[in-house]
Amino acid sequence: MTETEIKKGLAGVVVDYTAVSKVNPETNSLLYRGYPVQELAATQPFEAVAYLLWHGELPTEAQLAELRAEERRHRSLAENVKAAIDLLPLDSHPMDEVRTAVSVIGASDVTGGGSVLDASGSPEENLARSIRLYAALPAIVAYGQRRRRALDVVEPRDDLDYSANFLWMTFGEEPEEIVVDAFNRSMILYAEHSFNASTFTARVITSTLSDLYSAVTGAIGALKGPLHGGANEAVLHIMSEIGSADNVVPWLDRALAEKRKIMGFGHRVYKKGDSRVPTMKAALDTLIEHYGRQDVAELYAKLESEFVSRKGIYPNLDYPSGPAYNLIGFDTLTFTPLFIASRVTGWTAHIMEQAASNALIRPLSAYNGVDERHIAGYVPDAATLAAAARPAEQS
Ligand SMILES: CC(C)(COP(=O)(O)OP(=O)(O)OC[C@H]1O[C@@H](n2cnc3c(N)ncnc32)[C@H](O)[C@@H]1OP(=O)(O)O)[C@@H](O)C(=O)NCCC(=O)NCCS
């Protein structure tokens, strides 16, 4: 294999079909099951989008009511999950906390019969597992933030829908409608994005016939990195470093001279701008107005215009969502866990799609290590010599 045949980072490689979402960088569009994500964010509750990703169609009123009832049944923080989180150091990263919690939920779900051969589950079992995880994650994320602030668990409220209840469990206060709306939009925008690194990780794990929880746990590991989900957290660190719009130019001069990556800008697929940004930016604007934080608007606009004019690289979804989550009151370390709570819907839709039409994902590599060599004094036996004579295959 020659160097030019290697697609570093699988860039540009089409690995499989998916019917879950379509990213079109040419038209700057993102469709979930055919619907533009902007339309979904403007009109739907997050629950309806979760249903759409799993089932391929938006729910009827009765189907939405059924999903909401099921979600409410699994909203509380399970005792064993809380106990596991409480064992972790207070300064462990919330992504590690959520990854551990998902592992505990998986290990506690014995519907797989305890055998690795049964673990991958039927489509019905995997849908039920998906709903349970999606329902359980807000309590886990909310508790993580409250634990770090030395606050008790807030029990869920049955009279609140998903997004409002998520904010209630995090802050213990009745959330304002405008805040719920901005948060709901962010949940929808983060829900799905085709074969990104974490979704692909989930599909690779599923392809071995491993179980849904293992696939989600692995996906969380992939999402943690700052080149992927961790960027929304990193945007806030950058904004705190800069401080105010007046400092943008000298800060950017220095950062670019040091060849730093400016978090919240750039995308592997979108090269002319991320289709989700205008919707999230509009949600951020409503929050800026609501909280009276014109300083945030100025810093946001100045960094964007300076960076785009110098590098021609546009903001991605993390650029507006980072400051939006900050204004709502989430700790910076909680931002990427919020991404998990949303993306678990897309991950699980892909896990079920992969399981329904599976092929083990196992690419090849080109070896560029040292040439073959041998242990001094080693004499191979006859079977080893015979095996070495057969054409080599990778396993
Ligand atoms: C997302 C990202 C990994 C996409 O990367 P990619 O498609 O592999 O593109 P590359 O990293 O190869 O970047 C191509 C060029 O643009 C530059 N570039 C890309 N994003 C940049 C950024 N945010 N800041 C500074 N330079 C950037 C690279 O340094 C590289 O320059 P070079 O050709 O002089 O080496 C990259 O844009 C990035 O690291 N962004 C910041 C992290 C982020 O916001 N991630 C969230 C993604 S949704």
Side-chain angles (χ1 to χ4, degrees), residues 226-229 231 235 256 260-269 271 274 276 307 311 313 316-318:
L227 295 189
H228 189 12
V235 167
L256 292 179
R260 279 176 69 176
K261 281 267 173 85
I262 312 304
M263 295 298 159
F265 290 86
H267 199 273
R268 171 56 67 80
V269 181
K271 297 300 176 193
D274 181 330
R276 302 161 296 178
F307 189 68
K311 300 286 284 187
I313 297 173
N316 58 53
L317 175 58
D318 295 317

Side-chain angles (χ1 to χ4, degrees), residues 196-376:
N196 56 82
S198 57
T199 302
F200 190 59
T201 302
R203 291 191 75 127
V204 170
I205 294 172
T206 304
S207 83
T208 71
L209 301 187
S210 186
D211 65 291
L212 179 139
Y213 301 105
S214 298
V216 171
T217 306
I220 293 172
L223 189 72
K224 185 181 175 189
L227 295 189
H228 189 12
N232 59 7
E233 176 188 325
V235 167
L236 239 281
H237 292 309
I238 280 181
M239 287 187 165
S240 313
E241 236 182 85
I242 300 173
S244 74
D246 295 344
N247 300 332
V248 164
V249 171
W251 183 89
L252 196 56
D253 288 343
R254 206 169 45 249
L256 292 179
E258 289 167 0
K259 301 221 170 313
R260 279 176 69 176
K261 281 267 173 85
I262 312 304
M263 295 298 159
F265 290 86
H267 199 273
R268 171 56 67 80
V269 181
Y270 298 117
K271 297 300 176 193
K272 299 181 208 151
D274 181 330
S275 60
R276 302 161 296 178
V277 165
T279 307
M280 194 61 224
K281 173 64 168 52
L284 171 63
D285 287 343
T286 61
L287 292 171
I288 285 173
E289 171 124 12
H290 179 68
Y291 292 109
R293 291 292 304 276
Q294 202 45 38
D295 57 317
V296 175
E298 284 161 15
L299 172 52
Y300 183 102
K302 185 69 180 164
L303 181 58
E304 178 181 3
S305 65
E306 277 295 323
F307 189 68
V308 172
S309 69
R310 292 189 199 195
K311 300 286 284 187
I313 297 173
Y314 294 88
N316 58 53
L317 175 58
D318 295 317
Y319 189 56
S321 71
Y325 289 151
N326 178 256
L327 288 177
I328 291 174
F330 287 106
D331 292 341
T332 307
L333 288 177
T334 304
F335 294 178
T336 319
L338 294 173
F339 192 161
I340 299 178
S342 163
R343 185 59 63 87
V344 74
T345 56
W347 287 336
T348 49
H350 279 275
I351 289 167
M352 290 186 276
E353 185 179 65
Q354 177 72 35
S357 170
N358 193 44
L360 177 68
I361 299 173
R362 201 306 186 188
L364 296 178
S365 54
Y367 179 69
N368 65 356
V370 295
D371 287 341
E372 181 169 343
R373 52 186 164 167
H374 298 279
I375 304 292

Side-chain angles (χ1 to χ4, degrees), residues 20-92:
V20 182
S21 68
K22 179 178 179 186
V23 180
N24 191 341
E26 298 311 315
T27 54
N28 199 17
S29 69
L30 170 61
L31 309 178
Y32 292 176
R33 302 281 190 188
Y35 291 104
V37 68
Q38 299 86 339
E39 284 177 35
L40 294 169
T43 60
Q44 302 298 316
F46 180 54
E47 298 92 311
V49 173
Y51 186 99
L52 171 72
L53 292 171
W54 290 324
H55 295 276
E57 294 296 337
L58 282 167
T60 61
E61 271 185 33
Q63 288 164 335
L64 182 58
E66 198 182 316
L67 175 62
R68 282 183 155 150
E70 184 65 4
E71 186 258 312
R72 279 164 166 76
R73 270 195 285 282
H74 298 285
R75 271 181 176 177
S76 295
L77 188 64
E79 273 309 315
N80 64 339
V81 174
K82 179 176 180 299
I85 293 174
D86 286 341
L87 285 174
L88 303 174
L90 271 174
D91 54 0
S92 58

